[in-house]
Amino acid sequence: MTWGEESDFPDRMPLSQQALAARGVPYLDDLNPAQREAVEALDGPVLMLAGAGTGKTKALTTRIAHLLNTGRARPNEILAVTFTNKAAREMKERVARLLGQTVEGMPWMGTFHSICVKLLRRHAELVGLKTNFTILDTDDQVRLLKQLVVAADIDEKRWPARQLAHLIDNWKNRAWTPDKVPAAEGSAFNHRGVELYAAYQDRLKTLNAVDFGDLLLHVVTIFQTHEDVLAQYQRWFRFILVDEYQDTNVAQYLWLRLLAQRHRNICCVGDDDQSIYGWRGAEVGNILRFEKDFPGAKVVRLEQNYRSTPHILAAASGVIAANRDRLGKTLFTDATEGEKVRLIGHWDGEEEARWIGEEIESAQQGTRGMRPFALNDMAILVRASHQMRAFEDRFLTIGLPYRVIGGPRFYERLEIRDAMAYFRVSVSPDDDLAFERIVNTPKRGLGDKAQQKMQRAARDNGVSLVEGAKILLDEGGLTGKGAAELKALLGGIGRWHGRALDARQNHVELAQQILEESGYTEMWQNDKTPEAPGRLENLKELVKALEQFENLQGFLEHVALIMDNSSEESEDKVSIMTLHAAKGLEFPVVFLPGWEDGLFPSQRSMDESGVKGLEEERRLAYVGLTRAEELATVSFAGNRLVFGQWNSSLPSRFIDELPPEHIEVLTPPGLYGGQQQVESDLVNRASRADVYNSPGWKRLQSRSQTRGMAQPREARDMVIDATALSSFVEGDRVFHQKFGYGEVIAIEGDKLDISFDKAGFKKVVARFVTAAEAAGDVPF
């Protein structure tokens, strides 16, 4: 008789299990009352509502150990699922430590996908597959869909296969087979989406293949259509445990509900306040309706936090309390009061990056009256990846080691490397590596064979690839669409190179022209995948970075030098990541920049999902704050330069939801490094009226009106008591210790655009220059 048969599960507990249950359980002594209640509630449905930093993993793994130690379940009778392989490994390791030995025979502990692969291998024939089916990766999936799109005579440029892949993945996350896709979805993908989905599934069966979405979808389909198979696993899985339940999608939810119907011993661990993955199919409603789905469920709230100080917890609780769709809980801690959450406003994004860099150095040295912190103890959490560029540039400039978690560094991103290749070949058409990268990006019908012909022509004539391509066209070695596209590209490179050599050409405008005329920007605008908007934002941020340099050549040299900044990963470094990537992590010191309406909360999220999107953004704010253990700092900027245009913004609505009694409002030292003409006592103590009546402020107002920058307003002044302004005016002669004499040609806050007599155009902070007369210069 094999395990899993009905006789393996007697109604009466055997004497051996009774004896096991009577043994001592020292691991329970390490739990707080709520954790212990959740661990010992073994019968029936249980929802472990675990707030941030409340020890949910400890409670979950202890529950598994308790099931085994008391003999309530054998290892193969426990189904324990989570979302990542790392979490599954940690679960196994913790259970082994609690029991003092490795637990053998736990085949059903792992991720949703890994467990479903095992199930599908056993029953593949029930969905028209063989047991040795292949699992396609994303690239293979897109390649197959592209073939179907082309075969259906659909313009792949307007309706890219990657968009269709994303659409089908969403349908599979909702457990919709082609015949179950609602009629309301019928207009998707040029009214051909459902038809192509069905053709795709048929093609997968022919290839004996599945994609990742199929792993769950096929198993759910088997359970729904083969009651005997479902009944078999319902008998086998006496106890079901689920981690991060708030992140489950519809297919995962259905899979769990089907399996739990017999014994109803399902324990779900999660936090509705940390459901931040709606964009990839997660349904926060799954956890919100747990008690309705499983009548008689026991809800245990884990509210004792072991991570953060009372001020940080109170700030996070104040923000999340504004959400309507939540089960509710109140976090508390036995930790000492600690520092209040700091709030600071800046004039622009560059000032924000500069200030945070200085604060990190101060924290590292322990000069703020706190203990010194290692760089590994500090993190910057941003809403969007394009925000990282300002911090990366600043840290590289001052030599502050950093790492980017959850993705490549800014200048290593695909779209940035592509754009940089376009800039490189425009400055130097002989750059063969850059030309190879962009010659068929976007697609120009210049595949491997065409590129081999170009390389052969270049080698035979001893010239660069660009010149080789010209020779190939002149000799008629390439025809058709590819030849026309190559001719257009070469013409563009010629124009861009000429403009790059023209000192009168605005290099920022040139960079924008290159990306637009090459079709590269349009390529991402037409891309309908979730990553495309972020890539476009990164390109805008790249163009913004050019403003700090005289020309494209200077910028390319700067990037080449700073990217040669490799160091050992074990080195002490500041961490930079998005808020999404930060979930599950914790740091003693956390900086949360960019809290501005439109950026955070994201305007796109609110436009696409309304109140639901806003609430998920608020949960992101909660996640960000609760990553901090000892010190959290929220900051915003009144102005950000995006794609060469000044965008003004109001502080995030989440800032007004922070409880004032737990917040310390800061004023930047020297107010953004402003000029000494604004006396320090005036800066620190002057009323707003004094500042607004100052000549410098009035000059700034005038410039703001003409340049489209943010106007002075009360919303900003709630945080910024005064603004340091340059004492210089346009046309002033100034002296810089390094660059010598020059003339001020434009002013933005405390930054001066100066045309130096010998060093050329530079952007300099006002405090680093003096009036030319004071330095001995004779005015013109």
Side-chain angles (χ1 to χ4, degrees), residues 42-283:
L42 298 180
D43 296 314
V46 175
L47 175 62
M48 204 185 300
L49 195 60
T54 57
K56 71 174 181 65
T57 304
K58 180 179 182 179
L60 179 65
T61 53
T62 304
R63 183 182 172 92
I64 296 173
H66 196 52
L67 284 168
L68 296 170
N69 186 61
T70 58
R72 294 294 302 278
R74 297 168 181 163
N76 54 27
E77 296 170 356
I78 296 174
L79 171 64
V81 290
T82 187
F83 278 85
T84 66
N85 291 316
K86 179 182 177 183
R89 285 194 302 270
E90 183 181 359
M91 191 184 296
K92 292 178 182 178
E93 291 167 359
R94 287 201 183 197
V95 170
R97 285 198 298 271
L98 287 169
L99 295 177
Q101 62 182 2
T102 301
V103 181
E104 301 295 340
M106 295 195 71
W108 306 110
M109 179 181 288
T111 65
F112 281 96
H113 289 105
S114 67
I115 291 172
C116 282
V117 167
K118 293 180 182 179
L119 296 174
L120 190 55
R121 295 279 184 206
R122 293 182 175 207
H123 307 286
E125 73 283 355
L126 298 180
V127 286
L129 297 169
K130 299 176 183 177
T131 56
N132 63 340
F133 59 79
T134 301
I135 303 173
L136 301 186
D137 61 21
T138 302
D139 288 343
D140 289 335
Q141 180 188 11
V142 172
R143 191 177 301 112
L144 177 55
L145 286 170
K146 185 174 181 179
Q147 294 174 5
L148 295 173
V149 169
V150 172
D153 198 27
I154 295 174
D155 185 355
E156 211 267 333
K157 286 188 175 181
R158 289 191 60 195
W159 302 97
R162 196 168 293 274
Q163 178 189 352
L164 180 59
H166 177 62
L167 178 66
I168 291 175
D169 188 55
N170 282 339
W171 287 342
K172 291 184 177 182
N173 286 339
R174 291 178 171 87
W176 292 342
T177 51
D179 58 304
K180 293 181 180 178
V181 176
E185 301 278 333
S187 61
F189 206 79
N190 197 26
H191 298 277
R192 306 282 297 277
V194 177
E195 168 196 336
L196 289 168
Y197 179 19
Y200 172 63
Q201 293 301 98
D202 288 341
R203 182 64 177 148
L204 285 175
K205 287 183 180 179
T206 302
L207 296 172
N208 192 36
V210 298
D211 60 27
F212 277 95
D214 283 327
L215 295 176
L216 270 153
L217 179 65
H218 282 327
V219 174
V220 169
T221 300
I222 290 170
F223 286 170
Q224 290 175 331
T225 56
H226 295 81
E227 294 182 2
D228 56 330
V229 177
L230 174 61
Q232 175 186 354
Y233 290 104
Q234 286 175 338
R235 292 194 305 270
W236 287 7
F237 299 143
R238 293 174 60 86
F239 292 90
I240 299 174
L241 299 96
V242 189
D243 193 15
E244 304 287 6
Y245 188 61
Q246 77 281 347
D247 293 334
T248 54
N249 59 35
V250 173
Q252 291 160 341
Y253 162 80
L254 290 174
W255 184 75
L256 289 167
R257 283 205 65 188
L258 288 166
L259 287 171
Q261 285 176 358
R262 180 182 174 100
H263 296 291
R264 299 184 73 251
N265 294 327
I266 181 170
C267 175
C268 293
V269 184
D271 183 4
D272 55 321
D273 291 336
Q274 295 188 73
S275 180
I276 59 174
Y277 297 116
W279 49 276
R280 68 182 189 196
E283 289 285 346

Side-chain angles (χ1 to χ4, degrees), residues 339-481:
E339 298 240 352
K340 292 184 176 182
V341 174
R342 304 185 305 168
L343 174 63
I344 185 168
H346 297 279
W347 175 248
D348 61 25
E350 301 302 319
E351 292 291 356
E352 181 181 56
R354 182 182 297 113
W355 184 84
I356 288 178
E358 292 170 354
E359 283 294 295
I360 289 172
E361 291 180 325
S362 296
Q364 188 182 20
Q365 297 164 9
T367 57
R368 292 192 62 259
M370 299 182 68
R371 68 176 179 86
F373 293 95
L375 294 180
N376 283 337
D377 292 337
M378 294 182 267
I380 299 171
L381 312 182
V382 298
R383 175 60 183 89
S385 60
H386 68 83
Q387 293 174 257
M388 296 181 186
R389 200 277 309 167
F391 296 104
E392 291 192 53
D393 274 1
R394 181 61 187 164
F395 293 170
L396 289 164
T397 299
I398 64 178
L400 192 67
Y402 72 91
R403 65 172 62 85
V404 173
I405 294 179
R409 295 191 294 174
F410 182 80
Y411 290 111
E412 293 173 345
R413 297 177 185 276
L414 168 72
E415 64 278 11
I416 301 304
R417 294 175 73 89
D418 287 346
M420 294 290 289
Y422 270 108
F423 298 162
R424 283 166 52 191
V425 81
S426 298
V427 169
S428 176
D430 293 337
D431 189 333
D432 286 355
L433 290 177
F435 182 72
E436 283 180 354
R437 185 178 184 95
I438 57 93
V439 67
N440 202 37
T441 304
K443 299 295 184 183
R444 299 186 173 92
L446 300 168
D448 292 341
K449 290 184 178 179
Q451 293 182 48
Q452 288 169 6
K453 290 181 179 179
M454 285 181 248
Q455 291 168 347
R456 191 178 302 113
R459 284 197 307 270
D460 292 346
N461 292 276
V463 295
S464 68
L465 274 178
V466 166
E467 292 301 320
K470 291 178 181 176
I471 292 172
L472 184 66
L473 288 177
D474 290 343
E475 295 178 349
L478 202 64
T479 59
K481 177 186 175 183

